[in-house]
Amino acid sequence: MAVKGTGAYNPENIFAKILRGDIPCKKVFENEWVLAFQDIAPKAAVHVLVIPKNPYVSFIDFTKTASEAEIAGVMKAASLIASDLGLEESGYRVITNAGENSGQEVPHFHLHLLGGQPLPPFPV
Ligand code: 5GP
């Protein structure tokens, strides 16, 4: 079920539970700003989710609300993870879904890092 609108943050969403350690994930990377883990239903050979540790619903919520240091921290972490996964040479895709029209399922802002194989033509 896609997220409707971008209302208040719901602390019961699945990524909030992962951040709290209430449910497990296959962790790829963690620092002060982000947690990154394998998508449970990968859409490509490499499909990693990068999520801020703080509660934001969407890209706009994140960029409007987070400090410049946090925005930079999250984006740099995603870049580092993509490099460390070896995606730079072969190519990759970074996407974020927001709201109903995008089909966003989990209302905690996240970046999808996709690669490790030729990706279907955009949009995927
Ligand atoms: P969205 O549609 O919100 O952009 O993407 C949500 C992503 O989270 C989907 O690709 C979905 O497979 C993934 N996902 C949903 N539930 C879980 C979970 O419990 N664990 C992990 N690792 N990924 C999940």
Side-chain angles (χ1 to χ4, degrees):
M1 172 82 85
V3 174
K4 294 204 177 194
T6 52
Y9 184 82
N10 176 1
E12 294 311 312
N13 78 75
I14 201 91
F15 292 172
K17 291 179 180 173
I18 288 174
L19 280 168
R20 288 198 295 268
D22 293 348
I23 64 168
C25 71
K26 290 187 178 166
K27 183 159 76 172
V28 171
F29 178 89
E30 182 173 12
N31 71 6
E32 67 180 302
W33 302 113
V34 305
L35 178 67
F37 51 90
Q38 306 281 357
D39 194 291
I40 203 167
K43 279 74 174 180
V46 175
H47 188 174
V48 169
L49 301 169
V50 183
I51 73 173
K53 289 189 166 176
N54 284 325
Y56 306 103
V57 176
S58 66
F59 173 70
I60 289 177
D61 183 26
F62 172 65
T63 51
K64 273 186 174 170
T65 314
S67 69
E68 306 243 325
E70 184 174 10
I71 294 169
V74 170
M75 298 307 287
K76 284 177 181 284
S79 169
L80 180 69
I81 294 161
S83 296
D84 287 351
L85 291 170
L87 299 180
E88 193 171 9
E89 281 292 308
S90 52
Y92 57 94
R93 185 172 291 153
V94 182
I95 62 167
T96 185
N97 292 313
E100 191 173 4
N101 277 356
S102 74
Q104 181 184 10
E105 286 176 18
V106 182
H108 180 111
F109 170 57
H110 51 281
L111 298 173
H112 296 254
L113 301 182
L114 296 151
Q117 63 170 86
L119 297 170
F122 183 82
V124 60

